[in-house]
Amino acid sequence: MLQTAHESIKNAGKRMGLTQKEIDYLIQTDKEHEFEIELSSGKKFNAFRVQHNNKRGPYKGGIRFHPEVNKDEVRALATLMSFKTAALGLPLGGAKGGVAVNPRDLNDEELEELSRMFVRSLHEHIGPDKDVPAPDVNTDGRIIDWMVDEYEHLSGDTTKASFTGKSIDGGGSAGREAATGRGGVIVLRELLKYLGKSNEKITYAIQGFGNVGSFFGLIAEKDHINWTMKSATDSSGGVASEELSPAEINSYKKTGAKLSDYIKGSKITNDDFISSDVDVLILAALGDAITEDNADKVKAKIILELANGPVNEKAYKILTDRGVIVVPDILANAGGVTVSYFEWLQNRAGEHWSEEKVNKMLDEYMTKACKDIFTVADKESVSLKEAAFEVAIARILE
Ligand code: NAD
């Protein structure tokens, strides 16, 4: 994933006529914090926070708890964050954190201890004007609330603007939970408008029916009656049918059941998913879902990167050469960081905005970002990914 991120920056930089020094500046990370967390039970975990670039504002990016977390992945995700905040025009930089842990192996007390110890090791380097972390894979409002509490004890800062993605009672924003999925729906709506296909019926398939994937499906089902979901998967595999209801699948998933056990439709694996016979693939699980090994199987004409880095650079080339439109992660999944930015603004001003206001502002920010990027793509005859990086690079170097 790191290579994919660097290739995207280098390619866009070269097209823009940047010097090698400027390209190196865009790639290098500002600071990399690496530490070990030892719980009172004696369990030890490697932890990271990479701060990539704060030229446009405080570092911003999630904290992931996942067994496969490693420094290169955190570096790649931190780098993508700087370009994502810039592509959206937000006055924020980019960072990412992670702990190499499977949270399912920890009980609640251990999870809380891990979350608090992460902040204890890092508190001098974060804060409302320095670095504002958020949830990511396997972290949520409950974990962030523990982190905020720990940060308050250590720093005395009570603004709650040190983290975003908090619970609503803990100072979080209305609309944050659904924001990434909602942003994805807005981007797909704008793309279809741009392609002159707004009124056509479209079919789609979701890989990773978790937080982001489920909200994409739920909002699409409510706002776009001519969009039909035909398959959905989670890490266990999933189902395919002529028509599936995101709301029904969401209720089923809320019981804790696996999608591979869902009784409607035919069973599919995540390998089968890639060749789903649909117009749009929604990739909302993890990175590197489509690589050079399976890109040839893709039948869809549009891919929405709701996960970070789900299409690697080689696959991206194979797909774009075939005319498949890949909507890049730094645009497609930017709804989350955009509402995180609104949360940070609300905390700093001591305000709480209605969900209606948050959703309306999210729509305005995402629609404007789409227009900026589609305009560059048209003008320069480049792909949406190339255009998104060009827009972001120009803003970072401004
Ligand atoms: P989540 O843990 O809620 O959901 C992930 C889903 O993917 C789960 O249903 C899981 O079972 C499934 N999954 C895991 N491995 C899979 C595999 N190999 N094949 C198919 N499905 C698999 O996480 P989330 O918050 O929904 O995040 C999903 C992706 O979106 C991540 O890549 C994350 O970095 C990215 N993202 C999330 C946000 C956010 O606001 N949550 C913002 C930007 C980007």
Side-chain angles (χ1 to χ4, degrees), residues 4-230:
T4 301
H6 287 175
E7 290 293 322
S8 307
I9 299 164
K10 280 183 202 160
N11 293 342
K14 280 185 192 149
R15 263 193 327 276
M16 294 166 80
L18 300 190
T19 62
Q20 190 57 44
K21 204 170 154 211
E22 285 171 315
I23 293 176
D24 291 344
Y25 165 75
L26 291 167
I27 285 177
Q28 86 202 8
T29 55
D30 286 350
K31 281 182 220 141
E32 299 188 352
H33 308 276
E34 188 172 356
F35 45 97
E36 189 180 73
I37 297 178
E38 182 171 356
L39 302 183
S40 36
S41 60
K43 291 180 185 169
K44 292 180 186 171
F45 304 100
N46 291 327
F48 310 90
R49 181 76 179 166
V50 173
Q51 295 168 321
H52 172 257
N53 189 298
N54 65 352
K55 192 80 187 292
R56 295 177 46 81
Y59 299 108
K60 186 87 196 79
I63 298 168
R64 176 176 292 203
F65 286 178
H66 193 276
E68 280 159 33
V69 161
N70 60 70
K71 192 148 79 175
D72 265 2
E73 185 191 62
V74 180
R75 255 189 210 136
L77 293 166
T79 306
L80 287 175
M81 278 307 295
S82 300
F83 292 86
K84 192 182 299 183
T85 51
L88 262 287
L90 307 176
L92 297 169
K96 202 78 179 187
V99 181
V101 59
N102 186 347
R104 286 184 198 92
D105 295 341
L106 302 183
N107 60 35
D108 272 8
E109 287 75 37
E110 288 175 319
L111 196 59
E112 178 170 352
E113 192 186 1
L114 180 77
S115 308
R116 289 183 181 277
M117 287 191 74
F118 186 88
V119 175
R120 246 176 268 161
S121 302
L122 207 66
H123 71 100
E124 284 171 0
H125 306 285
I126 58 176
D129 295 308
K130 283 188 199 164
D131 182 352
V132 187
D136 191 68
V137 176
N138 293 330
T139 50
D140 56 15
R142 186 173 69 133
I143 288 173
I144 295 296
D145 285 354
W146 289 326
M147 292 187 169
V148 171
D149 187 58
E150 192 63 31
Y151 182 76
E152 279 188 9
H153 281 118
L154 293 165
S155 69
D157 175 273
T158 55
T159 61
K160 311 250 183 234
S162 49
F163 287 79
T164 59
K166 300 175 287 288
S167 69
I168 297 288
D169 289 344
S173 176
R176 172 63 186 88
E177 211 192 352
T180 306
R182 182 178 295 281
V185 172
I186 296 166
V187 170
L188 182 57
R189 179 196 75 201
E190 289 303 307
L191 177 70
L192 294 172
K193 211 184 274 178
Y194 167 69
L195 298 173
K197 294 186 172 183
S198 285
N199 299 322
E200 289 182 16
K201 283 186 191 293
I202 62 146
T203 55
Y204 67 92
I206 299 182
Q207 182 184 56
F209 205 86
N211 173 296
V212 173
S214 63
F215 277 112
F216 179 94
L218 292 170
I219 294 162
E221 187 174 34
K222 194 164 160 285
D223 291 358
H224 296 280
I225 46 166
N226 53 348
W227 298 8
T228 304
M229 184 167 87
K230 286 183 73 175

